[in-house]
Amino acid sequence: MELKEAKEKFIQAWGTLGSNWGINRTMAQVHALLMVSPDPLSAEDIQDELNISGGNANMNLRALIDWGLISKVHKPGERKEFYAAEKDIWKVFKQVAKERRKREIEPIFRVLEDVSKISGNPKEKNNKAFLETVKGIHNFASKTDKTLETLINADENWFMSSFIKLMK
Amino acid sequence: MELKEAKEKFIQAWGTLGSNWGINRTMAQVHALLMVSPDPLSAEDIQDELNISGGNANMNLRALIDWGLISKVHKPGERKEFYAAEKDIWKVFKQVAKERRKREIEPIFRVLEDVSKISGNPKEKNNKAFLETVKGIHNFASKTDKTLETLINADENWFMSSFIKLMK
DNA sequence: AATAATTTTCAGAAATTACTGAAAGTTCAG
DNA sequence: CTGAACTTTCAGTAATTTCTGAAAATTATT
């Protein structure tokens, strides 16, 4: 297989993976393209490679910067901005975990705490079922949150080696 | 806050969470509704609670069964089928991990292995950047896969207590 | 300061995804 | 068997999400 074809397949697969996980397909494709490029690319390069409009490229590049997955690179003597992706997949994973934690766990906590404050007898069947489910999720979310926090601060080797030991 | 209002808020929040993670909003809402109901509900109950059509309710119920998150309950003397959700959130989490592993990790593995077979000198800059990224992801995916496998077979208490120890 | 290159924004269009409603299919009690 | 209760399917429609293209804003160059 030629490099070009392999790149296309990889970009396609990464896009599908992203969209299964609630990330817009094009954003994931831009990310994939930058991950396999040896050098930073300009917005124009990306437009041409992926056949997307300038507006679309720009919006997804900003979103990727916002997620902390790529950064602008200024090339001396060049007018254009270039973009480069973090290629260490462990760092990518940690960054995504960090952002999703901020964007999703925190809001769900607020809702869980809020809906726990229901009136009426907590022993009554309907109230009880509700409160137990909510409490269970709250408890689980707390543990997950702590785990994620540790994960985000962990170094890969430490984490993986400890984890593998644990799994034995 | 009244139970009814709290349920609605919870169902809404669960739906949003689902759609952020690539799960259709209504499917997540049906799941939420069943998680907070003390007794199994019929398709009709669900239609009425969520204001959705029979077809929609049916399709999402089947999808939830397919994901292993709810099950049919036959009530003696009743013609209708009823549905009940697994309420232990740890089991829910494991089940989702199991399904996603099957549906997503396996396909991505195939692609990664496939695209590793590129022609040309692996030392050449473009080939090298590509192969290193792909190799890094493949390696990460292998570890993740092993971890998930363990997780799926783990019991919550064992897992959490070991994990908390690890984190210290 | 004028011009040219580049980036950003955003209204409307296109594409994708989800839903409805009605018809077809099943199941079961009488 | 028959018909009523219930479930499933799916073509067409609706809602949502994403993208385009062109205009506005910004930034650098002469």
Side-chain angles (χ1 to χ4, degrees):
Chain A
M1 180 165 22
E2 293 296 324
L3 176 61
K4 199 182 169 217
E5 189 194 343
K7 272 194 186 181
E8 276 164 18
K9 272 198 187 175
F10 174 74
I11 290 168
Q12 182 57 45
W14 205 247
T16 303
L17 188 71
S19 74
N20 282 149
W21 286 82
I23 288 150
N24 140 354
R25 165 178 262 93
T26 304
M27 179 171 152
Q29 288 179 338
V30 172
H31 182 228
L33 173 59
L34 289 172
M35 281 200 298
V36 296
S37 297
D39 302 304
L41 302 179
S42 69
E44 207 185 347
D45 296 334
I46 293 165
Q47 285 172 48
D48 296 347
E49 285 282 344
L50 303 178
N51 282 297
I52 60 178
S53 71
N56 194 11
N58 185 268
M59 299 231 268
N60 284 299
L61 285 166
R62 327 214 93 246
L64 284 163
I65 289 172
D66 210 48
W67 275 76
L69 296 174
I70 67 171
S71 48
K72 282 191 180 177
V73 176
H74 184 70
K75 281 197 186 177
E78 283 271 14
R79 186 74 178 275
K80 285 179 188 161
E81 289 286 359
F82 288 77
Y83 301 87
E86 171 57 59
K87 295 187 183 189
D88 179 338
I89 193 74
W90 170 250
K91 286 188 187 161
V92 171
F93 176 78
K94 284 205 296 185
Q95 187 60 32
V96 172
K98 188 175 169 184
E99 288 295 321
R100 295 206 98 146
R101 176 177 179 239
K102 186 170 73 191
R103 297 172 194 214
E104 278 138 36
I105 298 195
E106 288 173 13
I108 199 92
F109 261 122
R110 258 177 268 125
V111 173
L112 292 170
E113 272 151 25
D114 193 20
V115 301
S116 296
K117 296 169 198 148
I118 54 171
S119 56
N121 180 0
K123 297 268 172 64
E124 194 276 317
K125 196 182 178 189
N126 287 284
N127 292 330
K128 201 179 163 209
F130 181 78
L131 288 171
E132 278 177 5
T133 298
V134 168
K135 210 176 132 192
I137 295 171
H138 191 281
N139 183 33
F140 180 76
S142 303
K143 287 175 183 165
T144 304
D145 189 46
K146 287 204 192 77
T147 304
L148 278 181
E149 197 184 354
T150 307
L151 202 77
I152 288 163
N153 296 313
D155 135 79
E156 174 171 17
N157 293 327
W158 172 81
F159 179 73
M160 284 296 178
S161 67
S162 309
F163 209 86
I164 286 158
K165 254 180 252 159
L166 173 63
M167 294 302 158
K168 282 190 183 148
Chain B
M1 178 164 24
E2 292 297 323
L3 176 61
K4 200 182 168 217
E5 189 195 343
K7 272 193 186 179
E8 276 163 17
K9 272 198 185 173
F10 173 74
I11 290 168
Q12 182 56 46
W14 205 247
T16 303
L17 188 71
S19 74
N20 281 149
W21 286 82
I23 289 150
N24 140 357
R25 163 178 264 92
T26 303
M27 179 172 152
Q29 288 179 339
V30 173
H31 182 229
L33 174 60
L34 289 170
M35 280 200 298
V36 296
S37 297
D39 303 304
L41 302 180
S42 69
E44 206 186 350
D45 296 334
I46 293 164
Q47 285 170 50
D48 295 349
E49 286 282 345
L50 303 179
N51 283 295
I52 60 177
S53 71
N56 194 11
N58 185 267
M59 298 232 268
N60 284 299
L61 285 165
R62 325 214 96 245
L64 283 164
I65 290 172
D66 211 48
W67 275 75
L69 296 174
I70 68 171
S71 48
K72 283 192 180 177
V73 176
H74 184 71
K75 281 196 186 178
E78 284 272 14
R79 189 72 180 277
K80 283 177 188 161
E81 289 287 359
F82 289 77
Y83 301 87
E86 170 57 58
K87 295 187 183 188
D88 179 339
I89 193 74
W90 170 250
K91 287 189 186 160
V92 171
F93 176 77
K94 285 204 295 186
Q95 188 59 33
V96 172
K98 189 176 169 184
E99 288 295 320
R100 294 205 100 145
R101 176 177 180 241
K102 186 170 73 191
R103 297 173 193 215
E104 278 137 34
I105 299 195
E106 288 172 14
I108 200 91
F109 261 122
R110 257 176 269 125
V111 173
L112 292 170
E113 272 151 25
D114 193 20
V115 301
S116 296
K117 296 171 199 147
I118 53 171
S119 55
N121 180 1
K123 297 268 172 63
E124 193 277 317
K125 196 182 178 188
N126 288 284
N127 292 332
K128 201 179 164 208
F130 181 78
L131 288 170
E132 278 178 4
T133 298
V134 168
K135 210 177 135 191
I137 296 171
H138 191 280
N139 183 34
F140 181 76
S142 303
K143 287 176 182 165
T144 305
D145 189 46
K146 287 204 191 76
T147 303
L148 277 180
E149 198 184 354
T150 307
L151 202 77
I152 288 163
N153 297 313
D155 136 79
E156 174 172 17
N157 294 326
W158 172 82
F159 178 74
M160 285 296 177
S161 66
S162 310
F163 209 86
I164 286 159
K165 255 181 253 159
L166 173 63
M167 293 302 159
K168 283 188 184 153

